Amino acid sequence: MRKYWISAICLLLSTVVVLQGCAAPNLAATSSPVNEAGIAGGGPKEDSIGEAKLSVYMYVTDVRVQNVYYAISRAFEAEYPQIRVELQFPGFQYEEILKVKLATNELPDIFDTHGWAKVRYGKDLEDLRDAPWAGQLTDTIRPAVTDKQGKVYVLPVSEARDGFSYNINVLEKYRIPVPATFDELMAAADIIVKESGGEVVPFFFSGIDSWTIGQYFDYFANAFVGERASGGQQLVTAQDFEWHQWERLAVKWKEMFDKGYINSDVFTAKYSELPKLFAENKVAFSFASPSFADDAYEINPNTRIGIMPVPSMNATGVPAFSGGERNTLGIWKESKYLEEAKLLVNYFARPDNMKQIADVVKIPPGLQGVEPDHEFMPFYRFYSQVPVIPYFDRVYLPNGMWEVMRRLGIELLADEISPAAFDQTMKQEAHRLSK
């Protein structure tokens, strides 16, 4: 089975060069940019009598993707001239802004729940079970956006099926097969550091965009969930998670840094540097989806990127993706424009519009019947039987723990805390935030 896995991947990689030429165009060069207020479009419109204005907030930071949302919204306005769409992209402060709006009961008409459709925003969202697309939810996204009573909370525009993005050129140069276990991943990192003389960094992380650091802990906490499941044990709450596993992850994290497996400028590096590093074959793995790929291709058309599930923690485990919501459209149930909002959400759910978005974000849509043709679809099809486990923090940790993981990860590399202190702080903070 192992030989088949490797052979199949090799066959898959041979198609990447051909498919790369079909990558989505640079919409940032052809579409109206986002203005300083974060509203997509060429400037304010004059209000018209009887016009409905829909405020739409999205957690989308990539200008290419923002421009696709803009283009779809402008097409919608052309079809429904009585409705104005006011798109806003608050950036990395999105979660904080939405929390304030939630607390003051001033949510946008439509907004991206970004992983929290049920837990955080559920009681404030309109039920979309009667939407024409509701029966098309993928099997992997349905549990994240519906409940046992049948409520459909959001339109899952993009579905997270996250693992690693890897540099095909680097792995081929150093004759490294795609890792399936954590030990294989570390062995690959060691080969890359030693044979490149330190010129190639196995793993890229950013202390500025510290979500990249949170990904490490979230990914491999999920790997422990899979490890328990393979042994017949089910994790129900965070209290069932053996807290010493956080120390185990913290020890490995610090070792990765000390051995030179992580970029030495991690404290000041920015995620925006990743495409250039991939294009220059200076980085082997990213703990993220390949949404940066088009930027890398612009720098070096010969860049080749693959995706893989998160390796298992031991040889008996199974690699898995971390899944759930990526970007969604949910409707505030107290919106003055409920019917207009449903029109817009249904418009985005049209297959051609869902495809446009999927082809630029490089991850699967949350609806069946949509057929993206970007260069990573062969990988997603190849891994179609690999388990998709909901992001650990969204299921098992209280609100606020994502920020805790990110902060502690940085402090650990800076020798401000020990792995044991990391473990203890995680336990204490989870208890505090659960109250």
Side-chain angles (χ1 to χ4, degrees):
M1 180 65 183
R2 176 69 174 160
K3 291 182 179 179
Y4 168 77
W5 180 280
I6 294 173
S7 299
I9 290 176
C10 291
L11 179 61
L12 178 64
L13 298 186
S14 69
T15 67
V16 171
V17 174
V18 176
L19 289 168
Q20 181 179 304
C22 301
N26 181 2
L27 296 174
T30 58
S31 303
S32 299
V34 177
N35 64 28
E36 293 181 359
I39 302 174
K45 296 182 180 180
E46 294 297 324
D47 294 348
S48 63
I49 297 174
E51 182 180 72
K53 296 185 219 177
L54 293 175
S55 58
V56 181
Y57 276 53
M58 297 299 300
Y59 194 175
V60 174
T61 58
D62 189 323
V63 174
R64 295 174 188 272
V65 184
Q66 290 175 359
N67 282 325
V68 175
Y69 277 89
Y70 161 76
I72 294 171
S73 298
R74 297 293 82 86
F76 171 83
E77 290 178 330
E79 191 167 324
Y80 298 94
Q82 77 280 15
I83 305 174
R84 175 184 174 183
V85 180
E86 296 181 333
L87 270 172
Q88 297 200 41
F89 303 102
F92 291 111
Q93 298 304 310
Y94 182 89
E95 297 283 6
E96 287 71 23
I97 292 171
L98 263 289
K99 286 178 184 177
V100 171
K101 289 186 174 293
L102 177 64
T104 58
N105 200 40
E106 297 176 315
L107 287 167
D109 298 300
I110 300 172
F111 60 98
D112 185 353
T113 54
H114 195 66
W116 300 101
K118 294 164 64 174
V119 176
R120 183 182 298 166
Y121 302 110
K123 65 182 180 60
D124 297 287
L125 289 169
E126 181 74 0
D127 188 351
L128 302 178
R129 74 177 72 196
D130 295 326
W133 46 265
Q136 298 171 242
L137 297 170
T138 65
D139 293 339
T140 46
I141 197 62
R142 186 179 293 109
V145 300
T146 65
D147 61 24
K148 294 180 180 179
Q149 289 70 46
K151 179 175 180 177
V152 176
Y153 289 83
V154 294
L155 167 67
V157 180
S158 301
E159 176 183 346
R161 200 172 300 171
D162 296 341
F164 290 18
S165 298
Y166 64 89
N167 192 316
I168 297 172
N169 293 332
V170 170
L171 265 60
E172 285 188 352
K173 180 176 181 179
Y174 298 107
R175 303 168 302 284
I176 296 171
V178 174
T181 68
F182 189 89
D183 286 345
E184 289 178 6
L185 184 67
M186 293 302 106
D190 196 60
I191 291 171
I192 291 167
V193 168
K194 289 178 178 176
E195 294 195 14
S196 73
E199 292 297 314
V200 181
V201 176
F203 311 119
F204 177 86
F205 293 94
S206 164
I208 301 298
D209 301 307
S210 59
W211 62 265
T212 59
I213 293 173
Q215 288 287 91
Y216 164 81
F217 292 99
D218 220 337
Y219 273 180
F220 286 111
N222 253 5
F224 284 127
V225 174
E227 192 177 73
R228 284 176 60 100
S230 65
Q233 296 175 295
Q234 294 299 318
L235 192 67
V236 178
T237 71
Q239 302 308 317
D240 298 323
F241 186 80
E242 297 93 340
W243 288 102
H244 68 273
Q245 301 290 19
W246 291 115
E247 182 174 358
R248 181 179 166 190
L249 289 180
V251 167
K252 293 296 185 182
W253 173 244
K254 188 63 166 61
E255 284 180 0
M256 288 161 60
F257 183 67
D258 291 342
K259 290 181 178 180
Y261 296 170
I262 296 173
N263 48 304
S264 60
D265 65 346
V266 59
F267 301 107
T268 57
K270 297 179 180 179
Y271 177 71
S272 58
E273 300 167 22
L274 182 62
K276 184 173 186 291
L277 293 169
F278 252 75
E280 294 175 346
N281 296 318
K282 296 292 187 183
V283 168
F285 298 95
S286 168
F287 284 52
S289 66
S291 58
F292 64 90
D294 284 340
D295 292 322
Y297 301 151
E298 280 192 354
I299 298 168
N300 177 8
N302 294 319
T303 302
R304 295 190 298 155
I305 302 170
I307 62 169
M308 55 179 265
V310 179
S312 63
M313 290 306 297
N314 57 53
T316 61
V318 177
F321 288 108
S322 288
E325 306 168 42
R326 175 51 48 80
N327 294 116
T328 68
L329 291 172
I331 299 175
W332 185 30
K333 69 180 183 182
E334 295 185 30
S335 168
K336 294 188 299 183
Y337 304 113
L338 279 177
E339 294 309 311
E340 291 86 350
K342 289 178 182 179
L343 284 175
L344 179 59
V345 171
N346 292 344
Y347 190 85
F348 266 90
R350 293 181 181 180
D352 56 337
N353 291 329
M354 294 284 285
K355 179 183 180 302
Q356 283 188 66
I357 296 171
D359 282 339
V360 72
V361 298
K362 314 291 189 183
I363 58 177
L367 297 184
Q368 300 177 51
V370 179
E371 299 295 335
D373 55 17
H374 60 77
E375 70 274 26
F376 296 100
M377 285 311 298
F379 290 92
Y380 288 117
R381 284 191 283 267
F382 175 77
Y383 290 120
S384 62
Q385 300 305 309
V386 167
V388 179
I389 303 175
Y391 265 103
F392 185 90
D393 72 299
R394 296 177 182 177
V395 177
Y396 303 111
L397 295 179
N399 186 22
M401 284 300 292
W402 175 245
E403 288 76 11
V404 172
M405 282 195 297
R406 294 159 58 176
R407 172 176 57 81
L408 293 178
I410 295 173
E411 292 177 0
L412 191 63
L413 297 187
D415 289 322
E416 294 177 3
I417 61 170
S418 66
F422 182 102
D423 179 285
Q424 187 61 29
T425 305
M426 284 290 291
K427 185 175 183 178
Q428 291 172 350
E429 288 295 280
H431 178 72
R432 179 181 66 83
L433 293 168
S434 295
K435 294 180 179 178

